[in-house]
Each structure stands twice: as C-alpha cells, then as structure tokens.
Amino acid sequence: MKFDSSSSSPPPFDTLETPTVHRSLIGVEGRTVGRDMNSKPYAPQEARQIVESLKQPAVFSSMASDWPALKWNVEYLAGVLRDKPIQFRIGKRLSEKAPQFETQCSYIEATLQEFLFWGQGLDGAKSGALSGCLPSEMWAYADYKYIAMLFAEQASLYQDIKWSDFGFPGRDGRASTLWIGTEGANTPCHLDTYGCNLVLQVQGRKRWLLFPPDDTPYLYPTRIPYEESSVFSKVNVANADLQRFPAFINSRAHVVTLHPGQVLFIPRHWWHYVESIDPFTVSINSWIEMDVDDEVRVEEAITKTVVCALKSAPSLDNADNWLNPTEDEATSHEENLHYLSLAVQTCLEKKKHRHQAQADTASEAGSPGPTKKRKRGCSCYQAERGTADMDGSAHTFGPHLVLVPQAANLQNVDVASETCNRRSSKCSSPHRQGDGHSCYELICDRAAESGKPEPVTSEPGGQTGDTSEVTTNLLLDCLLHPDVISLVTKLLLDKANGQ
C-alpha cells in the first residue's frame, strides 16, 4: 500500500483480527442476552435484518464456521473436479497506471490439478497449457464460475454452502459463484448494478478496496468494456493516475483484508476492487436480489441497446475490444429492444402488485394507504453522505460484526504485492503454447488489439484537454452516464405506463 509519507507505517487495515482495538468505530457487542455462547452470534432472521439495514460494508465472523464449504481449498477441489477443464484468466504482474481489464487478459483452459502444479512452480510438463507462463510474471484467476454448472454432476455439494444462516432459506451453492486465484489475481474496480453481495473467504486472503456509491463521480464510470450489470471505473484504484483522473483524490476507500471463515457484506452499488494476496485463494459469493432490481433491469436493457447499436456500427474507432469476455456476443438491435420491452413490462407489473399489496395491508390494518415516496435523485448510484450507520441497529456491532473502516491518510492506494510491483520483461520461459507464443506475448497482443489510445478529453472532476474529436466511446460515456440512464429509465417507464 502507498500512504501519506508523514506516516511511518500504514494504518492497521487488518482490523478483523483484533476488533476490540476499534471499539470506537464499531460500537458495543450486540449478542442477544441469554443465548448459548456456543451458538452462532446471530440467528438467521437477525442476520438478514442486519444485511437489509447495513449501509456500509461489514464483515461477519463465526457465521460460517461450521460450513462444509470451508474445506474447499484448491487441493480438495482439484480432487473433486479431477479432469474437468476450467477457463483461467491470465494477467500480468504489473503496477501500471491503467486498469488491467478482462479484455486485455489471455484465457487458458486447464484442470485444477494443472493449476495447482503451476502455482507451486512444480514440473512444467504437469502444468499443461499453463506451462507457457511464468508464475513470477503472471497470475491466474478462475473467476465467475457458477457452482451450479461446475458441480452439475455432484449436486450434493450445493449443501456445503448455507446462506440460509443469513436468513435466505433455500439459498445454497446453486445460487453461488466460485473464485480461485493465485497471488496478484484481481478484479478491476467496478460496481454491480444488481442486488447486494455476500462473500465467504475459504482459502488464503484477499484485500478489498471499497468505495461508497456517492464516490461515483470520482471513479470515472464507464461501460466500456461492456458487461451486463457491471459499471467499471477508468481508474486503477491500486495505482491511480491522478494527473488523468484528479477527482479520484476525493474518493474514500474502505479497506479490509478478508481471512478464511469470514463473510464480507457489500451493500448495493458499492464500488470494489479485489486482489489475492496469498499464493492460492478460494472464495464463494452470492448476489442477493432486491426489489429495486426490477427498475435496474430496465436501465441495463437500455444500456445494452445503446452500447450494441453504437459499437456494432462500422467505424475506425470501433476496432477496440469493447465486449467483455463474460458476454457471449453482441446481440442484435431487434433482440435488445425485445428484451427492453420485457424488462419494462415486468417492472411495471411488479410495481403494480407491490402497490396493491401495500394498499391491502394498510386497509386490513385500518390505516391510510401508502404515501407518495420522496422523489429520487437522478442517479440510482447516489447515496447521502453520513449513511454509514445501520438505521438504529448499531448495537449489533462487536467482535462478530465489524464495519469495514475508511482508510486513513490514504493518498494513493497500491495493494499489489512486492512480487506484483516488479515490471516484467518479456517472458523468457522456454515453454511455449501451441502457437509458439508465451502467455505474456498473448496478453500484449490482446492489449494491442484494443486499438489506438483515445484522445485526451474532458473528464469528470475538472480535467480539460483536446475535445475536438468526439469518439464513440466518449459519446457512450455521456449517453450511458448513470444519471442519464436513470433519467431515461424514468421517462420510459412513465410513457409505458401511459403518463
């Protein structure tokens, strides 16, 4: 990490190992009086109430201590999956100013056993397709692996994951995603447009940098590369380029290192950058849907319609790698409009049913019907400052529930390990892939395919430059800005509702 030079040592971000040090931050212990001390700190309904009221990231301890999934380390999973090939994203161990998006990475299929051999630096022949990469120069990440698909032939393993302990009955491995990586493997800073997130750390440690929703202007949001439900930041928050993105200095990073057995809660629309800091890491997450997702699905459908229409048009500046590898293909305009129509129809129907249910409940109780809600601001990503408290539930904080603290004296964040900080030269490994190119060369080729750099343009936060040439991506940054999409969604829903 890089910190204020006036500080001789970084602030103690690994607060979760000694939560009592931060009593002033987390309040008083909230254990229910009379509860068996050997039981879990929160009953399922209590845990769900906490999750639904938290406005700030927090870590649960002791809630997953008896989950069978805690044995899911790389060695165990390699034995379970045996010869099943898995796609790994291969990235460079560099500390560059620009984010390393998925479009700039290489992709290789290998078994977990080959991945294990490769990560341990053992016999290259046993590393299979990964043998063309040097672990000292590259990292590997099996990310976004849906457990329901990965273990389709071993469905009994779904029960190893018990999100029902957090008050979500029936939610197990079928609604979960698996992440397996080596040191340095990371996910670019982004926010998830749908729901909130629970993450169980199984093996190794991961460091999380999280930013509140109202830091969005300081993180320079973009939808290129395009991935449904993900808004990326143009800033490499681990090594920010403050000359290009000066407003980032106003952002407020909340930093935590997640240890095995701990569960991190990420509230809706919190930005996050995640990096593995141990030789091997395994984590499991589940995105929890919310009622407001109905409207967000309309926003996402609008976004996809606009992105595909403009980026699929023949143009010299559309030669970049704009579609994230998580997306299968660019869909047609007709298909996108059809999906948008379905999203609008579903959203209006669900709103109607909710309003009717509220009116029925109020009528049965003999009270007035629901009052009109306060008009929402333009941006669905905006949040009022000072909403870190849990709306009156602060008494639940203690050793078993710790708020993720805001980083102190943080000027420029660099969470990369010392190994990752080295600038790599071209891979000198004698092992090559089938086409005669090393992993490193493949990634460099992929980055080169992204096209020419964009001209310097006016960025949010005050940077000015040459704006004489309007590119497709610059236009998309304006058209797909969260505030604009939110306003268009409201207008579309109103017109579709006959208003």
Side-chain angles (χ1 to χ4, degrees), residues 160-171:
D160 287 3
I161 303 163
K162 302 179 181 296
W163 299 115
S164 56
D165 285 352
F166 286 85
F168 299 97
R171 184 175 289 265

PDB file of all heavy atoms in Angstrom, residues 160-171:
ATOM      1  N   ASP A 160     -23.067 -27.719   0.858  1.00  0.00           N
ATOM      2  CA  ASP A 160     -21.901 -27.293   1.650  1.00  0.00           C
ATOM      3  C   ASP A 160     -21.931 -25.791   1.928  1.00  0.00           C
ATOM      4  O   ASP A 160     -21.193 -25.299   2.783  1.00  0.00           O
ATOM      5  CB  ASP A 160     -20.601 -27.644   0.914  1.00  0.00           C
ATOM      6  CG  ASP A 160     -20.306 -29.144   0.936  1.00  0.00           C
ATOM      7  OD1 ASP A 160     -21.139 -29.896   1.474  1.00  0.00           O
ATOM      8  OD2 ASP A 160     -19.245 -29.549   0.423  1.00  0.00           O
ATOM      9  N   ILE A 161     -22.780 -25.072   1.191  1.00  0.00           N
ATOM     10  CA  ILE A 161     -22.862 -23.607   1.313  1.00  0.00           C
ATOM     11  C   ILE A 161     -24.232 -23.264   1.885  1.00  0.00           C
ATOM     12  O   ILE A 161     -25.258 -23.611   1.294  1.00  0.00           O
ATOM     13  CB  ILE A 161     -22.651 -22.949  -0.062  1.00  0.00           C
ATOM     14  CG1 ILE A 161     -21.292 -23.382  -0.644  1.00  0.00           C
ATOM     15  CG2 ILE A 161     -22.733 -21.431   0.039  1.00  0.00           C
ATOM     16  CD1 ILE A 161     -21.154 -23.137  -2.114  1.00  0.00           C
ATOM     17  N   LYS A 162     -24.273 -22.575   3.006  1.00  0.00           N
ATOM     18  CA  LYS A 162     -25.523 -22.405   3.747  1.00  0.00           C
ATOM     19  C   LYS A 162     -25.854 -20.921   3.960  1.00  0.00           C
ATOM     20  O   LYS A 162     -25.765 -20.397   5.073  1.00  0.00           O
ATOM     21  CB  LYS A 162     -25.417 -23.118   5.104  1.00  0.00           C
ATOM     22  CG  LYS A 162     -25.097 -24.612   4.974  1.00  0.00           C
ATOM     23  CD  LYS A 162     -24.987 -25.276   6.339  1.00  0.00           C
ATOM     24  CE  LYS A 162     -24.644 -26.750   6.223  1.00  0.00           C
ATOM     25  NZ  LYS A 162     -25.705 -27.522   5.543  1.00  0.00           N
ATOM     26  N   TRP A 163     -26.213 -20.262   2.866  1.00  0.00           N
ATOM     27  CA  TRP A 163     -26.622 -18.859   3.008  1.00  0.00           C
ATOM     28  C   TRP A 163     -27.914 -18.740   3.810  1.00  0.00           C
ATOM     29  O   TRP A 163     -28.295 -17.634   4.205  1.00  0.00           O
ATOM     30  CB  TRP A 163     -26.795 -18.224   1.633  1.00  0.00           C
ATOM     31  CG  TRP A 163     -25.543 -18.213   0.791  1.00  0.00           C
ATOM     32  CD1 TRP A 163     -25.337 -18.867  -0.376  1.00  0.00           C
ATOM     33  CD2 TRP A 163     -24.316 -17.506   1.075  1.00  0.00           C
ATOM     34  NE1 TRP A 163     -24.066 -18.625  -0.858  1.00  0.00           N
ATOM     35  CE2 TRP A 163     -23.424 -17.794   0.015  1.00  0.00           C
ATOM     36  CE3 TRP A 163     -23.892 -16.671   2.110  1.00  0.00           C
ATOM     37  CZ2 TRP A 163     -22.134 -17.270  -0.037  1.00  0.00           C
ATOM     38  CZ3 TRP A 163     -22.608 -16.150   2.064  1.00  0.00           C
ATOM     39  CH2 TRP A 163     -21.741 -16.454   1.007  1.00  0.00           C
ATOM     40  N   SER A 164     -28.577 -19.846   4.054  1.00  0.00           N
ATOM     41  CA  SER A 164     -29.780 -19.829   4.899  1.00  0.00           C
ATOM     42  C   SER A 164     -29.451 -19.348   6.302  1.00  0.00           C
ATOM     43  O   SER A 164     -30.332 -18.832   7.003  1.00  0.00           O
ATOM     44  CB  SER A 164     -30.412 -21.223   4.954  1.00  0.00           C
ATOM     45  OG  SER A 164     -29.469 -22.191   5.401  1.00  0.00           O
ATOM     46  N   ASP A 165     -28.198 -19.480   6.722  1.00  0.00           N
ATOM     47  CA  ASP A 165     -27.789 -18.968   8.037  1.00  0.00           C
ATOM     48  C   ASP A 165     -27.902 -17.447   8.109  1.00  0.00           C
ATOM     49  O   ASP A 165     -27.930 -16.872   9.198  1.00  0.00           O
ATOM     50  CB  ASP A 165     -26.351 -19.385   8.362  1.00  0.00           C
ATOM     51  CG  ASP A 165     -26.241 -20.853   8.751  1.00  0.00           C
ATOM     52  OD1 ASP A 165     -27.295 -21.503   8.909  1.00  0.00           O
ATOM     53  OD2 ASP A 165     -25.105 -21.343   8.910  1.00  0.00           O
ATOM     54  N   PHE A 166     -27.944 -16.803   6.935  1.00  0.00           N
ATOM     55  CA  PHE A 166     -28.092 -15.346   6.885  1.00  0.00           C
ATOM     56  C   PHE A 166     -29.543 -14.948   6.624  1.00  0.00           C
ATOM     57  O   PHE A 166     -29.821 -13.799   6.284  1.00  0.00           O
ATOM     58  CB  PHE A 166     -27.175 -14.756   5.810  1.00  0.00           C
ATOM     59  CG  PHE A 166     -25.720 -14.741   6.206  1.00  0.00           C
ATOM     60  CD1 PHE A 166     -24.918 -15.850   6.004  1.00  0.00           C
ATOM     61  CD2 PHE A 166     -25.156 -13.621   6.808  1.00  0.00           C
ATOM     62  CE1 PHE A 166     -23.584 -15.848   6.380  1.00  0.00           C
ATOM     63  CE2 PHE A 166     -23.828 -13.603   7.183  1.00  0.00           C
ATOM     64  CZ  PHE A 166     -23.039 -14.721   6.971  1.00  0.00           C
ATOM     65  N   GLY A 167     -30.451 -15.905   6.761  1.00  0.00           N
ATOM     66  CA  GLY A 167     -31.863 -15.584   6.633  1.00  0.00           C
ATOM     67  C   GLY A 167     -32.400 -15.676   5.226  1.00  0.00           C
ATOM     68  O   GLY A 167     -33.450 -15.087   4.931  1.00  0.00           O
ATOM     69  N   PHE A 168     -31.720 -16.428   4.353  1.00  0.00           N
ATOM     70  CA  PHE A 168     -32.186 -16.604   2.985  1.00  0.00           C
ATOM     71  C   PHE A 168     -32.450 -18.094   2.765  1.00  0.00           C
ATOM     72  O   PHE A 168     -31.588 -18.821   2.254  1.00  0.00           O
ATOM     73  CB  PHE A 168     -31.151 -16.064   1.994  1.00  0.00           C
ATOM     74  CG  PHE A 168     -30.886 -14.594   2.156  1.00  0.00           C
ATOM     75  CD1 PHE A 168     -29.795 -14.144   2.892  1.00  0.00           C
ATOM     76  CD2 PHE A 168     -31.745 -13.656   1.606  1.00  0.00           C
ATOM     77  CE1 PHE A 168     -29.557 -12.789   3.061  1.00  0.00           C
ATOM     78  CE2 PHE A 168     -31.515 -12.296   1.767  1.00  0.00           C
ATOM     79  CZ  PHE A 168     -30.426 -11.863   2.497  1.00  0.00           C
ATOM     80  N   PRO A 169     -33.617 -18.582   3.154  1.00  0.00           N
ATOM     81  CA  PRO A 169     -33.933 -20.015   3.098  1.00  0.00           C
ATOM     82  C   PRO A 169     -33.766 -20.590   1.691  1.00  0.00           C
ATOM     83  O   PRO A 169     -34.167 -19.968   0.702  1.00  0.00           O
ATOM     84  CB  PRO A 169     -35.399 -20.073   3.539  1.00  0.00           C
ATOM     85  CG  PRO A 169     -35.635 -18.797   4.282  1.00  0.00           C
ATOM     86  CD  PRO A 169     -34.757 -17.777   3.642  1.00  0.00           C
ATOM     87  N   GLY A 170     -33.175 -21.770   1.645  1.00  0.00           N
ATOM     88  CA  GLY A 170     -33.017 -22.460   0.373  1.00  0.00           C
ATOM     89  C   GLY A 170     -31.864 -21.974  -0.478  1.00  0.00           C
ATOM     90  O   GLY A 170     -31.547 -22.583  -1.508  1.00  0.00           O
ATOM     91  N   ARG A 171     -31.205 -20.899  -0.082  1.00  0.00           N
ATOM     92  CA  ARG A 171     -30.083 -20.393  -0.885  1.00  0.00           C
ATOM     93  C   ARG A 171     -28.822 -21.161  -0.512  1.00  0.00           C
ATOM     94  O   ARG A 171     -28.378 -21.125   0.634  1.00  0.00           O
ATOM     95  CB  ARG A 171     -29.892 -18.891  -0.652  1.00  0.00           C
ATOM     96  CG  ARG A 171     -28.799 -18.276  -1.544  1.00  0.00           C
ATOM     97  CD  ARG A 171     -28.750 -16.772  -1.345  1.00  0.00           C
ATOM     98  NE  ARG A 171     -29.909 -16.121  -1.919  1.00  0.00           N
ATOM     99  CZ  ARG A 171     -29.955 -15.588  -3.137  1.00  0.00           C
ATOM    100  NH1 ARG A 171     -28.894 -15.655  -3.915  1.00  0.00           N
ATOM    101  NH2 ARG A 171     -31.041 -15.010  -3.583  1.00  0.00           N
TER     102      ARG A 171
END
